[in-house]
Amino acid sequence: MRSKRPELMKEIYSYIDQYYSAKHTTPSTAEIAEGVGVSKATAYRYLVAMDERGMLEYDGASKTIVT
């Protein structure tokens, strides 16, 4: 299994915060992927890993992200 890049995790976290500040809702996985320049699958894997590390709360079923 490949390790996750801490820089990309920070970029994803920042993107989510900025998106929420601007639109008062959390972005979808597809919007995160487009916003940081990765595939949807990569964005999803990073969100799951960030949730496991306690960096944010991600519920893939309801697509809720809490930073």
Side-chain angles (χ1 to χ4, degrees):
M1 177 155 98
R2 297 176 117 180
S3 63
K4 304 292 184 251
R5 294 186 0 238
E7 312 84 42
L8 183 54
M9 287 185 179
K10 289 177 187 176
E11 191 175 344
I12 289 170
Y13 191 93
S14 178
Y15 180 83
I16 294 167
D17 273 347
Q18 290 173 4
Y19 188 99
Y20 186 82
S21 292
K23 300 188 180 195
H24 305 289
T25 188
T26 55
S28 67
T29 306
E31 290 167 327
I32 293 168
E34 185 177 330
V36 299
V38 297
S39 71
K40 287 189 284 186
T42 298
Y44 172 78
R45 285 192 298 269
Y46 268 79
L47 289 169
V48 170
M50 292 168 74
D51 179 61
E52 290 171 354
R53 295 177 186 194
M55 297 176 70
L56 51 75
E57 293 177 26
Y58 175 66
D59 176 11
S62 66
K63 298 179 176 84
T64 302
I65 302 170
V66 178
T67 57

